[in-house]
Amino acid sequence: MPIGSITRGTTGTNRLRRVDRWIAAHPVLRRADDPLVVDLGYGASATTPLELHQRLRKVRPDVEVVGIEIDPERVRLASLSARPGVSFRLGGFEVPLDGGRRPAVIRALNVLRQYDESQVDASWRLMTSRLQPGGVLVEGTCNEVGRVASWVDVTEAGPQTFTVALHLASLEAPSVVAERLPKALIHRNVPGERVHDLLVDLDRQWAIAAPLSVYGPVQRWIATVEGLRAAGWPVRHGRTRWRLGELTLPWSAVAPRP
Ligand SMILES: C[S@@+](CC[C@H](N)C(=O)[O-])C[C@H]1O[C@@H](n2cnc3c(N)ncnc32)[C@H](O)[C@@H]1O
């Protein structure tokens, strides 16, 4: 029996573009001997595995994407869209694959959202136990149109980084991501928790950087992220990622307090 439960299948065209872009730049995919990527819980249509394949092919022409869904009817439907490099199969968090193959990347977006917070750890452990050595699970949430997203990179050693990715041109305040935090954090946006402090500081820096709006939202975001770093947050990467509306921190900077 696949491990997990069937949940709502909401998905959409271009919804996961920010995560596709993150995976495309991921060193794990670029250096993998077997560039196998799983899109776990792809939902009511084949859209997101097909888009993921299309985008990853540009950096790894030999990439293979396997869409895994726990709902047999969704697998039957998606299988009609199978093509070279993209296949579909029934399964759950145990990530079943033929011939003992292991994925370099598992992407699980908007899947754990419908589970209980207490189930996050076990599902992370199960999925990461299926990865190739050095592989990564990208687990997170986004809004319906993919303009507000956040995710955690998890390896067999546990959660590594937390990333926020926002559509800057339509952004009023970065704390809008509060509604789209990964399951491990969404109930922790309360005073006393690190992720709450982060969102408060992020909005503060966004407000301080308001005068830079005359140069456009990207310049304002870059100043916001630089302000966060100056305030002591261990921000990762540099302008190349920030100009995409991203912000990445080590997991330890936002991890829930015990
Ligand atoms: C809201 S949809 C997300 C679709 C797509 N990932 C997206 O973000 O647009 C969640 C899907 O995950 C599937 N799902 C839930 N738990 C699962 C599990 N343990 N293994 C595989 N699929 C699962 C559900 O059946 C549902 O189709």
Side-chain angles (χ1 to χ4, degrees):
M1 281 288 284
I3 300 173
S5 350
I6 298 174
T7 54
R8 281 192 307 276
T10 318
T11 188
T13 307
N14 236 359
R15 184 189 198 194
L16 302 186
R17 62 195 176 280
R18 288 169 206 283
V19 198
D20 292 347
R21 189 168 61 188
W22 174 260
I23 296 171
H26 216 295
V28 170
L29 178 72
R30 289 171 181 250
R31 64 173 179 242
D33 289 334
D34 182 9
L36 177 63
V37 176
V38 164
D39 193 4
L40 188 114
Y42 55 80
S45 79
T47 307
T48 67
L50 293 173
E51 289 178 346
L52 182 61
H53 182 251
Q54 207 175 32
R55 291 180 177 132
L56 297 186
R57 262 172 68 188
K58 293 181 184 147
V59 294
R60 276 298 303 245
D62 54 345
V63 70
E64 203 181 311
V65 173
V66 179
I68 295 184
E69 239 300 329
I70 200 162
D71 181 334
E73 180 56 17
R74 292 176 190 158
V75 178
R76 192 190 64 76
L77 266 176
S79 298
L80 304 173
S81 304
R83 58 197 62 179
V86 192
S87 59
F88 301 89
R89 65 180 296 161
L90 185 67
F93 295 135
E94 77 287 2
V95 193
L97 290 164
D98 291 333
R101 279 178 88 192
R102 288 171 176 268
V105 180
I106 301 172
R107 189 263 293 280
L109 251 282
N110 300 303
V111 176
L112 289 185
R113 188 174 168 76
Q114 295 169 67
Y115 284 76
D116 193 83
E117 187 187 359
S118 63
Q119 295 170 283
V120 171
D121 214 48
S123 62
W124 277 1
R125 279 178 204 278
L126 187 50
M127 288 187 275
T128 55
S129 74
R130 306 290 303 132
L131 291 166
Q132 296 171 17
V136 69
L137 162 69
V138 180
E139 189 274 307
T141 309
C142 67
N143 70 352
E144 286 73 13
V145 292
R147 289 186 164 191
V148 177
S150 72
W151 56 84
V152 186
D153 274 23
V154 191
T155 69
E156 255 207 295
Q160 303 297 316
T161 57
F162 167 64
T163 297
V164 168
L166 302 166
H167 180 257
L168 297 176
S170 61
L171 187 63
E172 283 182 18
S175 62
V176 67
V177 76
E179 295 161 17
R180 304 292 166 169
L181 290 172
K183 193 71 192 188
L185 295 176
I186 195 160
H187 305 295
R188 304 306 185 114
N189 184 26
V190 291
E193 289 284 356
R194 296 178 183 97
V195 71
H196 183 264
D197 294 345
L198 174 68
L199 297 190
V200 168
D201 276 4
L202 198 48
D203 272 1
R204 182 181 301 132
Q205 294 298 338
W206 181 249
I208 292 170
L212 285 164
S213 299
V214 291
Y215 302 111
V218 171
Q219 293 310 315
R220 184 176 177 184
W221 180 252
I222 289 173
T224 300
V225 177
E226 284 172 343
L228 264 191
R229 182 178 267 177
W233 288 94
V235 173
R236 294 264 176 97
H237 306 139
R239 288 176 170 231
T240 310
R241 301 296 319 171
W242 302 343
R243 61 175 51 257
L244 303 173
E246 286 180 11
L247 165 71
T248 298
L249 296 157
W251 175 251
S252 56
V254 293
R257 297 199 189 274

